[in-house]
Amino acid sequence: MLEFTDQLSREENDEFVKAHPLCNLLQSSSWADIKSNWDHCYTGVKKDGFLAATAMVLIKRLPLGFTLFYIPRGPIMDYKDQALTAFMLKELKKLGKKHHCLYIKIDPYILKNQYRIEEANESINDECKQVMNSLRACGAIHQGFTKDIMSTIQPRYQANVYAVENFEENLPRHTKRLMKDALKRHVQLIMGGSELVKEFAQVVAKTENRKKIALRNEEYFQKLMNAYGDDAKILLAKVNVKQLVDTTQTSLETMTQEYNDLPENQVKKRRRLEEQLSSLRKDLSEYTEIAAAVEGQSEMVIAGCLSVKYGPTMEMLYAGMDERFKKFMPQYSIYVKQMNWAFENGCHWCNMGGVEGTLDDGLTKFKANFNPTIDETIGEFDLPVNKSLYKASEMAYKLRKKMKVKA
């Protein structure tokens, strides 16, 4: 016997989602708190008295009293159970009618394919085919296997790092070298909670200014930290600017003396020292300029990352870096430390975020340094509720999305 409810408690929702193979942060009850500009409800289906499916539904209010339902990375259920799938979607449509919903958008974390970047292919696994047939039989309309990261609300291609034995030892050689370079430059890593929000927001703002994009502000980051408590972590990379100036000055003086003492016939070594001295002078000039700009401030945040653990998963949600310290490569140390923390605390994988489906963008190239697996998901489906207005509302949605991208 199947029973539907739209009065599921937060606790019931989270307990079920965290234990399910399709566990995802975006189906947590707290994600509804983060998306406070949407209404929401927690729905579920009980099978013979036991919870068998859940869906945290975000409800967007539209003009003229209409709404749009969005179920990010859900519903959470066994899609191979066709009777359960059909019942859940039928009941969600009934709920949608009560709320004057035009259509329901879903994007379950069902994998179409999974591969290493260098092994990319266009295969579709059997489970994906089965789920697509099941959803279509329920009237859901597939929005296609899009490749553009902006074509869907959640990225269809996701770079995941899965927990393996000796994770750090198996990283590419150049990644480990860049981490060592950061240590040589006295980069320090600090992990914490809400007390680091202000500094994190400041370094994210630097990324926004550099890339001319809008991410999130301090208030939003604080909301995340409050919602997820000890499972939300901020990791900052810091350097002591005064120490940088002093150590660089000392290195410059030592190397200058070595150069002056070098016999004229050691041409190769003289040339190498000249290059190193030129680099040190440039570094000293940059660090001295930064030290003057920060007016005596000793420690500076040069990069940061905010991540949230949910069940056996870790979502690396936001990151930022001060471009002046790009050569320090702090993000490599940050990401590895964050992943190690996640794996030590029971996570099966860390989501580094979305990438373009062509796998040739800058994000993919950066994330390739951490041996990720590309999870290619099934994509979005629309479930029309008001069939007469669905086409018009879908076109309006796509037009609005296109305009936002251009802006």
Side-chain angles (χ1 to χ4, degrees), residues 67-268:
T67 66
L68 169 70
F69 279 15
Y70 175 45
I71 306 174
R73 296 304 194 210
I76 303 294
M77 59 185 174
D78 180 2
Y79 286 83
K80 294 189 291 292
D81 187 333
Q82 293 186 9
L84 175 64
T85 301
F87 182 80
M88 179 59 149
L89 296 189
K90 182 183 72 174
E91 293 299 320
L92 285 170
K93 285 175 68 174
K94 286 183 183 177
L95 181 66
K97 287 179 180 177
K98 292 179 184 178
H99 289 264
H100 306 290
C101 176
L102 296 172
Y103 65 96
I104 302 168
K105 185 172 285 291
I106 67 174
D107 61 349
Y109 203 78
I110 301 295
L111 296 183
K112 169 186 177 283
N113 203 353
Q114 192 177 50
Y115 42 73
R116 296 287 186 177
I117 293 172
E118 64 276 10
E119 300 169 349
N121 61 82
E122 297 295 330
S123 297
I124 305 176
N125 66 51
D126 290 340
E127 181 183 0
C128 179
K129 292 177 183 176
Q130 183 180 346
V131 172
M132 288 186 72
N133 291 335
S134 181
L135 291 175
R136 283 169 171 159
C138 298
I141 302 169
H142 189 228
Q143 297 304 298
F145 293 129
T146 57
K147 286 186 177 290
D148 180 3
I149 195 171
M150 299 304 294
S151 295
T152 51
I153 302 175
Q154 303 304 326
R156 206 173 72 76
Y157 293 80
Q158 181 171 296
N160 271 0
V161 176
Y162 284 85
V164 293
E165 194 173 345
N166 302 321
F167 153 70
E168 192 169 338
E169 291 178 21
N170 293 323
L171 288 170
R173 186 178 300 172
H174 65 273
T175 302
K176 290 187 278 191
R177 176 178 57 78
L178 291 171
M179 291 169 63
K180 287 180 181 177
D181 286 350
L183 283 175
K184 289 177 184 177
R185 293 178 184 271
H186 308 290
V187 174
Q188 295 182 324
L189 300 183
I190 298 170
M191 180 178 281
S194 293
E195 74 279 4
L196 302 180
V197 166
K198 189 176 186 65
E199 291 176 296
F200 176 69
Q202 289 170 349
V203 79
V204 169
K206 288 183 171 67
T207 298
E208 290 180 317
N209 293 334
R210 183 178 83 249
K211 294 187 175 182
K212 294 180 172 53
I213 57 174
L215 294 172
R216 298 291 184 177
N217 59 20
E218 182 179 343
E219 182 183 0
Y220 185 85
F221 297 140
Q222 188 61 63
K223 186 186 287 188
L224 274 169
M225 303 305 290
N226 292 342
Y228 292 99
D230 291 340
D231 287 330
K233 297 295 178 185
I234 292 176
L235 193 54
L236 299 180
K238 290 188 174 186
V239 293
N240 187 306
V241 182
K242 184 180 183 304
Q243 184 184 36
L244 279 176
V245 172
D246 291 345
T247 55
T248 306
Q249 179 68 56
T250 300
S251 297
L252 182 60
E253 292 170 357
T254 302
M255 194 169 292
T256 300
Q257 186 62 51
E258 183 182 355
Y259 179 81
N260 292 336
D261 295 340
L262 196 67
E264 290 290 337
N265 62 348
Q266 295 193 20
V267 179
K268 286 186 179 179

Side-chain angles (χ1 to χ4, degrees), residues 351-368:
N351 172 20
M352 299 174 67
V355 295
E356 298 286 354
T358 53
L359 303 181
D360 59 0
D361 58 304
L363 274 175
T364 303
K365 290 172 183 175
F366 167 67
K367 292 170 183 178

Side-chain angles (χ1 to χ4, degrees), residues 8-35:
L8 205 65
S9 71
R10 295 172 66 105
E11 293 74 21
E12 285 178 301
N13 179 86
D14 287 339
E15 183 180 352
F16 180 82
V17 175
K18 285 181 177 180
H20 200 278
L22 299 182
C23 173
N24 198 284
L25 175 73
L26 303 192
Q27 275 297 297
S28 67
S29 63
S30 292
W31 195 250
D33 301 332
I34 302 301
K35 299 301 174 184

